Amino acid sequence: MEPLEINAIAHRQIGTHLKIPAAYYDKMLTQHPQLLSENVNAWFEREPAVRLVRTIGGTARAFLATATGVSTIWILPSIVLPVLQDMEGMHFESCQLTESRMYIKVVNTRLQAEVSPGDIVQSGIIISNSEVGLGSVNIQPLVYRLVCSNGMVVNDAQTRRNHVGRVNEASENYQLYSDKTLEADDKAFAMKIQDTVRAVVDEVRFTQVVNLMKDAKDARMNTADVPGIVKLVSKDFHITEEESSGVLQRLIEGNDLTLYGLVQRSDPPQPGCRGL
């Protein structure tokens, strides 16, 4: 096996596994790499353990316990693809792999509606997960706006799914279970994901969301304190003060002082998506 570069995530997971304090680990990494190598190798030899290393492009991107590493979460695309392919009008808008998460954005061109003249939206779904151990499967409805080729994540508690599957139950000792039991556990995990995907792209639910958007289009903000409203909403969207100023400027320039206009000009919480 060729030597691998190690990214920041894998470094932190190695340090955590070996119980090396993060500040000391980082100090050795930046100021004395040879000392870090000696420390890590010494503890590896003293306390051997079976671990899983995730790699991409010659870089180790995660250092995981095997119970997490072999979870069904890694084959998430193969779980959701059969469901999506059975849905008429579905197409992949984008796929993205960052250091910490994978994002899949799918749009259903068959389910569309007009919020206002010329502002057409389509039903969609955002599916993400972290196979490097920094998060769980996350499935959320998406409303895709054709006018700006962007999307709004719908924070719907009924369909949003976090922490699904045994990958997030690392405290459990899976070595006690038989292969048959683990297989059944993974099957149940896959079925939960598939059911959630079906619920997210449900036509009735999409119609309900579009009606909320239409109501927001007609709901004008209190123009006496627009900066205060933007500041309040920015907290809900986890937008920084600097970003909040940009939202206010775009809101004024767009001359759409409705709740719908405010949402459209909020910065995205995920790549290419806005919150709703």
Side-chain angles (χ1 to χ4, degrees):
M1 184 175 180
E2 293 294 327
L4 298 169
E5 296 294 329
I6 303 175
N7 70 7
I9 292 174
H11 269 303
R12 181 62 69 239
Q13 290 169 337
I14 291 172
T16 300
H17 171 67
L18 298 178
K19 297 181 176 60
I20 300 176
Y24 182 52
Y25 189 102
D26 292 343
K27 185 175 183 179
M28 289 189 291
L29 179 62
T30 57
Q31 300 182 23
H32 203 326
Q34 183 59 36
L35 179 60
L36 174 63
S37 177
E38 292 172 359
N39 269 268
V40 169
N41 285 328
W43 285 112
F44 277 163
E45 292 176 6
R46 185 180 180 88
E47 300 176 356
V50 178
R51 305 286 291 184
L52 184 140
V53 179
R54 291 227 182 271
T55 68
I56 188 171
T59 298
R61 62 195 306 261
F63 183 78
L64 305 168
T66 53
T68 299
V70 299
S71 168
T72 314
I73 194 171
W74 178 236
I75 56 173
L76 179 64
S78 66
I79 294 174
V80 301
L81 275 176
V83 178
L84 296 174
Q85 288 172 343
D86 286 341
M87 296 179 181
E88 182 181 351
M90 279 291 182
H91 81 275
F92 289 89
E93 187 63 33
S94 65
C95 297
Q96 183 177 9
L97 182 66
T98 68
E99 281 200 355
S100 59
R101 294 192 71 84
M102 175 194 70
Y103 296 92
I104 301 175
K105 183 194 296 184
V106 184
V107 175
N108 188 341
T109 57
R110 185 181 64 84
L111 287 181
Q112 69 176 34
E114 194 173 53
V115 178
S116 60
D119 190 357
I120 299 174
V121 296
Q122 295 176 337
S123 173
I125 182 173
I126 286 281
I127 304 170
S128 69
N129 75 284
S130 175
E131 88 284 2
V132 297
L134 295 187
S136 54
V137 178
N138 191 336
I139 302 173
Q140 290 178 272
L142 172 75
V143 176
Y144 188 74
R145 297 183 71 218
L146 272 63
V147 67
C148 65
S149 297
N150 210 328
M152 294 185 297
V153 172
V154 181
N155 292 315
D156 186 345
Q158 296 181 38
T159 56
R160 180 169 179 162
R161 289 293 181 272
N162 289 304
H163 306 292
V164 181
R166 62 182 169 94
V167 64
N168 301 288
E169 300 165 3
S171 60
E172 213 170 336
N173 186 359
Y174 287 94
Q175 294 180 347
L176 299 177
Y177 304 143
S178 66
D179 291 341
K180 187 175 181 180
T181 299
L182 294 177
E183 183 180 350
D185 197 25
D186 284 343
K187 184 177 180 179
F189 164 80
M191 293 174 66
K192 288 180 182 178
I193 293 295
Q194 292 174 339
D195 286 348
T196 302
V197 171
R198 293 187 184 96
V200 165
V201 294
D202 178 71
E203 186 170 359
V204 174
R205 192 175 302 279
F206 174 66
T207 301
Q208 292 173 343
V209 172
V210 170
N211 288 336
L212 288 175
M213 295 172 71
K214 290 180 178 179
D215 291 342
K217 188 71 177 177
D218 296 330
R220 293 191 62 80
M221 293 185 293
N222 179 7
T223 55
D225 188 19
V226 174
I229 294 175
V230 172
K231 186 176 181 179
L232 181 63
V233 173
S234 295
K235 292 182 179 179
D236 292 334
F237 282 92
H238 305 291
I239 296 174
T240 65
E241 185 174 345
E242 182 179 353
E243 292 170 335
S244 179
S245 299
V247 171
L248 178 60
Q249 181 179 349
R250 290 194 298 274
L251 186 64
I252 295 173
E253 291 174 350
N255 196 30
D256 184 0
L257 299 180
T258 65
L259 295 181
Y260 185 69
L262 178 58
V263 171
Q264 297 305 321
R265 286 154 183 84
S266 300
D267 285 338
Q270 292 180 357
C273 307
R274 287 178 167 79
L276 177 62

